[in-house]
């Protein structure tokens, strides 16, 4: 049996849950006998049956006997009660003979428990098939389940020289339709989208993904002085109940009270480290802890430049999605995608790894993992474009 082939099919099924399963992971499963698929399943959302149970039920609906069959699943079956019963109980009750698993449960309290339970009951268990791909599928969930903080992606669309607006704040769509569609795709897969108040004042964004599928994520506005307008889209549309405005302890009470009539308002403590310019900085670590308590597993940070810098240079970001348009704005005072005070020495520079470049129409997308400041530099740094840049990508949205 080609376990790798079947695990790739299970991964394809798991991805159908994108943007739907949080705070649960995306999981796909197959019930097979020989080279024949008896049933397919994937996790569709919190409180609904897990992928293994879906696959077993699908096989039975098709009139197949599952006793003695093999189960392929991208993540270790759960062995404890949550919103649903343990999947290990369903597997044993079905008489499955062999279970092939991609990634082990990332929760240290449960890792390997389901596998041991199945082995002790006489089930043949194999692990590690496409383990890296299966783990990467749920990197946000894996981080949240261990640290109880969201996995943070910093997203920015900019010119080739890293600018997002003129010195006067004038801006417009920088990237083309396919890049924007990919950005909406990232929103849909996130539990919360965050911007600073300057972005709200300049652009009045909705921060909602496009498409017919309902999205009940949170919109988070960093607004130390409670300057968010009461008629902004994020405070006045039909999803205002899913907007959180994060203010500081010095915000004018009258403005805070006015906002609280329309949206949720949190008062965050100030960061102890103040900027050279004397601006009030909200404590982002406190905010991530609070969001984690609300089961926000993936946070998409969209701007502006000061906000991006706070997460990136503060060591709070895990990945970046940078869109580059074939434009050059120039100007020392033009607004940058990543602003802030910047690194004061080479040791503080932020490094990216696991780079992936994609073409989206005329634009380029760079997706990469962030290494915190202070990590030792690799032996070789290649400042130019990678030799292999993928061709035009399909519209991910």
């Amino acid at each position: 049996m080609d376990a790798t082939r079947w695990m790739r099919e299970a991964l394809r099924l798991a991805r159908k849950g994108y943007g739907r399963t949080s705070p649960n992971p995306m999981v796909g499963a197959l019930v097979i006998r020989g080279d024949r698929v008896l049933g397919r399943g994937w996790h569709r959302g919190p409180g609904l049956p897990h992928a293994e149970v879906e696959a077993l039920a699908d096989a039975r609906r098709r009139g197949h006997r599952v006793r003695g069959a093999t189960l392929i699943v991208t993540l270790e079956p759960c062995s404890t009660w949550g919103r649903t019963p343990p999947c290990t109980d369903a597997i044993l009750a079905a008489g499955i003979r062999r279970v092939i698993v991609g990634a082990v449960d990332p929760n240290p309290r449960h890792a390997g428990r389901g596998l041991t339970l199945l082995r002790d009951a006489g089930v043949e268990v194999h692990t590690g098939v496409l383990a890296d791909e299966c783990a990467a599928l749920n990197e946000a969930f894996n981080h949240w389940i261990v640290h109880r903080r969201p996995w943070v992606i910093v997203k920015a669309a900019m010119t080739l020289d890293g600018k997002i607006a003129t010195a006067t704040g004038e801006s417009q769509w920088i990237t083309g339709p396919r890049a924007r569609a990919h950005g909406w795709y990232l929103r849909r897969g996130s539990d919360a989208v965050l911007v600073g108040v300057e972005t709200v004042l300049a652009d009045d964004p909705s921060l909602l993904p496009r498409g017919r599928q309902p999205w009940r994520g949170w919109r988070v506005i960093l607004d130390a002085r409670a300057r968010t307008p009461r008629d902004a889209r994020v405070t006045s549309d039909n999803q205002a109940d899913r907007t959180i405005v994060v203010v500081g302890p010095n915000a004018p009470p009258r403005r805070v009270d006015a906002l609280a009539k329309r949206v949720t308002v949190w008062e965050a403590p100030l960061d102890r480290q103040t900027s050279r310019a004397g601006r009030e900085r909200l404590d982002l670590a406190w905010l991530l802890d609070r969001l984690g308590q609300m089961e926000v597993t993936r946070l998409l940070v969209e701007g502006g430049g000061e906000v991006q810098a706070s997460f990136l240079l503060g060591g709070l970001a895990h990945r970046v999605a940078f869109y580059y348009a074939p434009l050059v704005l120039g100007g020392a005072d033009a607004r940058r995608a990543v602003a802030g005070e910047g690194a004061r020495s080479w040791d503080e520079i932020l490094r990216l790894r696991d780079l992936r470049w994609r073409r989206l129409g005329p634009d380029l997308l760079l997706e990469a993992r962030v290494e915190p400041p202070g990590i030792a530099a690799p032996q070789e740094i290649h400042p130019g474009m990678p030799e292999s840049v993928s061709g035009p990508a399909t519209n991910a949205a």
Side-chain angles (χ1 to χ4, degrees):
M1 181 183 62
D2 188 348
T4 300
R5 168 195 168 193
W6 294 122
M7 191 61 73
R8 291 199 187 282
E9 171 65 10
L11 278 166
R12 186 190 67 79
L13 291 169
R15 293 187 185 99
K16 291 188 174 186
Y18 180 80
R20 301 168 185 255
T21 64
S22 185
N24 293 346
M26 291 176 278
V27 184
L30 296 167
V31 179
I32 65 172
R33 194 188 305 277
D35 284 333
R36 184 184 180 191
V37 177
L38 306 183
R40 295 178 172 85
W42 64 92
H43 185 42
R44 300 168 187 265
L48 298 177
H50 289 187
E52 303 94 316
V53 175
E54 286 275 10
L56 291 168
D58 182 53
R60 294 188 183 104
R61 281 194 300 269
R62 296 171 183 272
H64 299 303
R65 294 179 63 254
V66 299
R67 182 165 296 276
T70 295
L71 176 72
I72 310 283
V73 62
T74 57
L75 182 65
E76 175 183 352
C78 65
S79 57
T80 58
W81 275 85
R83 292 182 174 94
T84 58
C87 290
T88 49
D89 288 359
I91 293 169
L92 294 175
I96 292 295
R97 181 175 66 87
R98 179 192 299 144
V99 175
I100 298 176
V101 174
V104 174
D105 190 329
N107 190 333
R109 294 178 297 175
H110 302 151
R113 177 176 172 175
L115 306 179
T116 299
L117 192 155
L118 292 172
R119 287 191 177 109
D120 289 348
V123 178
E124 182 183 335
V125 177
H126 301 273
T127 62
V129 179
L130 296 182
D132 290 344
E133 291 184 39
C134 291
L137 178 70
N138 290 301
E139 59 184 358
F141 170 80
N142 297 343
H143 177 82
W144 174 78
I145 203 68
V146 174
H147 302 285
R148 292 295 165 173
R149 277 187 176 184
W151 179 263
V152 178
I153 302 173
V154 171
K155 165 185 169 284
M158 66 193 84
T159 61
L160 288 178
D161 54 340
K163 308 297 174 58
I164 58 175
T166 67
T168 60
E170 182 181 348
S171 65
Q172 56 181 334
W173 289 117
I174 292 176
T175 53
R178 292 175 69 179
R180 295 199 295 272
H182 188 272
W184 295 326
Y185 173 80
L186 290 183
R187 284 182 184 175
R188 181 159 301 285
S190 301
D191 301 315
V193 177
L194 181 148
V195 298
V197 66
E198 298 295 344
T199 296
V200 174
L201 293 172
D203 301 331
D204 191 23
S206 74
L207 301 180
L208 299 174
R210 303 292 175 90
R212 297 179 180 177
Q213 180 183 327
W215 184 74
R216 292 294 289 169
W218 294 93
R219 300 176 295 187
V220 183
I221 315 300
L222 296 184
D223 185 7
R225 289 285 181 171
R227 294 185 294 142
T228 301
R230 286 179 293 172
D231 60 352
R233 284 201 274 182
V234 293
T235 57
S236 61
D237 64 15
N238 60 7
Q239 293 207 49
D241 64 322
R242 304 290 290 184
T243 296
I244 301 170
V245 177
V246 186
V247 303
N250 299 321
R254 184 175 299 177
R255 294 209 293 256
V256 172
D257 292 343
L259 283 172
K261 293 177 180 178
R262 294 176 176 265
V263 299
T264 298
V265 177
W266 290 351
E267 181 182 308
L270 295 178
D271 193 326
R272 293 178 181 178
Q273 297 180 349
T274 58
S275 70
R276 297 171 191 167
R279 296 189 185 95
E280 291 183 346
R281 287 182 172 176
L282 300 175
D283 188 334
L284 297 181
W286 176 91
L287 175 60
L288 292 178
D289 287 336
R290 184 78 181 266
L291 290 172
Q293 293 169 10
M294 293 177 59
E295 299 186 332
V296 171
T297 66
R298 184 190 300 254
L299 173 66
L300 183 64
V301 176
E302 294 202 12
E306 294 293 336
V307 172
Q308 310 280 42
S310 295
F311 279 92
L312 287 168
L313 302 180
L316 299 174
H318 303 99
R319 293 191 70 84
V320 297
F322 286 167
Y323 304 84
Y324 293 93
L327 303 169
V328 175
L329 183 57
D333 296 327
R335 299 191 180 180
R336 296 162 289 169
V338 181
E341 297 168 7
R344 286 168 286 188
S345 70
W346 198 254
D347 291 338
E348 296 180 0
I349 197 169
L350 196 72
R351 302 180 188 278
L352 305 179
R353 60 184 175 89
D354 301 335
L355 277 66
R356 182 187 179 199
W357 292 90
R358 295 176 60 187
R359 286 267 314 267
L360 296 172
D363 306 313
L364 286 175
L365 165 63
L366 169 63
E367 294 178 291
R369 187 179 292 268
V370 178
E371 285 188 347
I375 298 294
Q379 292 183 353
E380 295 184 18
I381 299 177
H382 301 283
M385 285 288 290
E387 291 181 0
S388 60
V389 179
S390 62
T394 57
N395 190 330

